[in-house]
Amino acid sequence: MDAGLSVYWVNVLKGTRDPTLILLIYMWYAMYAWDQALEQLYIYISRLERRTTGSYDTEPSQTLHNIHSHLLSYATMLRDFKKSVQFILETPDTTKNCDEEEGHTMHRECNNLISEIDRLDLDRATHTERLKNLINLLFSSINIRDSEQMRRLTQVTVRDRFGP
């Protein structure tokens, strides 16, 4: 695991007796992966935006709804992830092997991780709002197209019925 081999973590773990810090490395690793996944999702949503803007293509609507439902489940997972970090933060080392400096390190790392989780949740919320706007735009475009078709149909019907 490369995260635990970084200079930063080597220095943090040097001389510590708190095994919980190793758990935080894994949690940071998961957080980095989640951050990268949301970044790729941003790129994918941007592509869908370009594809659907100004078009009447209804095909992406199912994709947009699927992404939206995944983002809603991400909200729950991020909340649970944050609770896990808070649990680590609030639960003292049961082995009592930690000195005060290690306690500060644990506190700092947990707060940094919580801050990053909040940032990810903010990114997720932004993606959700972009999707809502995109879905509304798609349906508005479809409604405009349907209205234009109904107007033409009405004109043709009136012309056929009453003559030119």
Side-chain angles (χ1 to χ4, degrees):
M1 169 122 153
D2 292 341
L5 297 176
S6 73
V7 173
Y8 177 77
W9 281 108
V10 168
N11 287 331
V12 167
L13 294 173
K14 190 185 309 180
T16 187
R17 293 170 300 208
D18 187 355
T20 315
L21 282 171
I22 295 170
L23 176 62
L24 282 182
I25 292 173
Y26 287 104
M27 296 185 97
W28 272 106
Y29 191 72
M31 203 279 312
Y32 293 143
W34 214 330
D35 187 37
Q36 290 174 348
L38 284 174
E39 186 177 325
Q40 291 302 309
L41 184 61
Y42 174 82
I43 293 167
Y44 185 69
I45 291 170
S46 295
R47 270 193 244 131
L48 281 174
E49 265 180 331
R50 284 190 300 274
R51 184 173 142 198
T52 58
T53 303
S55 98
Y56 299 117
D57 186 9
T58 59
E59 180 191 332
S61 65
Q62 185 65 40
T63 302
L64 294 172
H65 283 290
N66 287 340
I67 294 171
H68 188 256
S69 68
H70 282 91
L71 284 171
L72 291 175
S73 79
Y74 289 171
T76 304
M77 288 189 279
L78 278 170
R79 199 170 28 254
D80 290 344
F81 190 51
K82 184 176 180 177
K83 285 179 188 177
S84 298
V85 176
Q86 288 170 330
F87 175 79
I88 291 170
L89 178 62
E90 295 164 2
T91 305
D93 178 19
T94 56
T95 62
K96 304 295 183 204
N97 287 335
C98 295
D99 59 19
E100 192 172 326
E101 184 179 330
E102 289 175 338
H104 289 302
T105 301
M106 176 64 74
H107 189 36
R108 181 187 70 233
E109 289 304 322
C110 284
N111 283 330
N112 288 343
L113 192 52
I114 287 170
S115 174
E116 285 299 307
I117 292 168
D118 289 340
R119 182 188 61 78
L120 281 180
D121 195 44
L122 198 61
D123 287 352
R124 182 214 48 84
T126 301
H127 292 345
T128 300
E129 289 303 313
R130 285 182 69 205
L131 275 175
K132 284 180 186 177
N133 287 339
L134 192 53
I135 290 168
N136 289 338
L137 176 65
L138 181 65
F139 287 122
S140 293
S141 297
I142 291 169
N143 285 337
I144 290 169
R145 182 188 65 189
D146 288 348
S147 295
E148 289 172 356
Q149 287 176 346
M150 285 303 293
R151 183 183 56 82
R152 282 190 222 115
L153 184 61
T154 302
Q155 287 174 342
V156 168
T157 302
V158 167
R159 188 177 40 217
D160 287 348
R161 185 171 181 123
F162 300 108

